[in-house]
Amino acid sequence: MPPRPPPASSSTPFLADVSRFLGAFRWAFMPLGLVALVAVGVHSAADTLDERLLALVDRVDAGFDALVGRYALTAPLVEWVSLEQRTRIARFLALAWELAADVVLALPALGYRESAAPVPAEAWRRVLEPQKAARPTWRQLWSRCLRKPTPMRWLRPLATAAVVLAGACAVARLIQGSVYLSWRELFGDGAADVAARALAVASLVGVLVSLGWRAVLRNLQHADAVCEDAGGRAALRRGLLGCAVVVPLAVAAVVDATPVLSFFR
């Protein structure tokens, strides 16, 4: 008589049920995760622009003071805008810029949907039943970017990639600081630093692998759909205002908000 197989662990069906239950809500938390990552990246980039915007406001105020200071009638207006007011103006501009970039880059992520692999249908079903148009693949999108280049097709995904990397770095920095401060008294500075850096790199890679590329893909799909609907030369003009909003933030994200090498030093 063959030996009876060992009974399956009672925890396995429970974990499988929990996994299936949570997987049923993937349609909701995946888009929200993409929006959150993009928002964190945009916020990190906008934080680096506060001083630059304040310097710009100071220059405008200096020009205004030089203009009104020439005449005795308007000379009292020189002190019209104080340093505190200029700081508030710069912060308001940074906040407005950040919210506008969130609308441009984060809202398309809400349309992210995952689809199962296509199942070959019978010949009669393909003839009689209309087939749903599948979303284009990476290869198809890349081919269209090369054959039909537009500012929106190129700049939106690149800007998304920049702010996504900045958002992942912000998450990694948070984990690194939390782990180091909580572990250094237990394991010492050296071991806590190594563990904090390792966990920061792991979280950076994990965020990019699980969410980062999906955010870039979704913005590329959105830009491609908008340009395809416009068609012709009209596609070259679509999304120019949004690109003007997000490109400076993307540059700031790459230059000042993505300290990737700091996790290895």
Side-chain angles (χ1 to χ4, degrees):
M1 185 175 181
R4 183 176 299 176
S9 175
S10 59
S11 63
T12 302
F14 174 74
L15 294 178
D17 292 341
V18 172
S19 178
R20 284 192 293 268
F21 176 76
L22 295 177
F25 296 94
R26 189 177 178 88
W27 62 271
F29 67 75
M30 281 300 294
L32 293 178
L34 300 182
V35 170
L37 179 59
V38 172
V40 171
V42 170
H43 179 72
S44 299
D47 277 346
T48 65
L49 297 177
D50 286 342
E51 295 183 0
R52 295 181 175 90
L53 289 175
L54 179 58
L56 177 62
V57 173
D58 287 340
R59 290 186 179 181
V60 173
D61 181 66
F64 176 78
D65 291 345
L67 178 63
V68 300
R70 296 178 180 178
Y71 311 99
L73 182 63
T74 58
L77 296 177
V78 171
E79 301 297 332
W80 185 35
V81 182
S82 63
L83 176 60
E84 181 180 359
Q85 291 174 328
R86 294 197 298 272
T87 303
R88 290 180 179 178
I89 293 174
R91 290 178 177 176
F92 173 78
L93 292 176
L95 177 60
W97 200 347
E98 178 181 347
L99 294 178
D102 284 335
V103 171
V104 174
L105 296 181
L107 282 187
L110 291 176
Y112 177 82
R113 295 293 182 269
E114 293 182 337
S115 57
V119 179
E122 297 85 348
W124 65 269
R125 192 180 298 274
R126 291 196 298 266
V127 174
L128 297 179
E129 296 183 358
Q131 300 294 322
K132 294 182 179 180
R135 286 187 173 180
T137 61
W138 276 105
R139 181 176 297 181
Q140 293 171 339
L141 293 172
W142 176 246
S143 176
R144 289 179 188 174
C145 287
L146 294 178
R147 290 187 292 105
K148 304 176 182 179
T150 62
M152 191 175 183
R153 274 196 175 107
W154 279 97
L155 296 179
R156 293 288 181 87
L158 292 176
T160 305
V163 299
V164 160
L165 182 58
C169 287
V171 174
R173 288 199 305 268
L174 177 62
I175 293 177
Q176 182 183 11
S178 301
V179 171
Y180 176 76
L181 292 176
S182 60
W183 286 14
R184 65 176 181 176
E185 295 183 359
L186 298 175
F187 305 104
D189 289 342
D193 181 61
V194 172
R197 291 177 185 273
L199 291 176
V201 172
S203 63
L204 174 65
V205 174
V207 169
L208 293 177
V209 170
S210 60
L211 296 175
W213 70 271
R214 287 182 169 90
V216 177
L217 173 62
R218 178 57 197 138
N219 269 278
L220 180 57
Q221 290 174 341
H222 177 261
D224 178 77
V226 171
C227 293
E228 282 295 305
D229 290 340
R233 294 185 177 181
L236 297 174
R237 300 189 297 270
R238 292 303 298 269
L240 290 180
L241 179 60
C243 292
V245 169
V246 299
V247 167
L249 275 177
V251 174
V254 173
V255 174
D256 297 325
T258 54
V260 178
L261 297 180
S262 65
F263 300 117
F264 302 94
R265 294 173 183 172

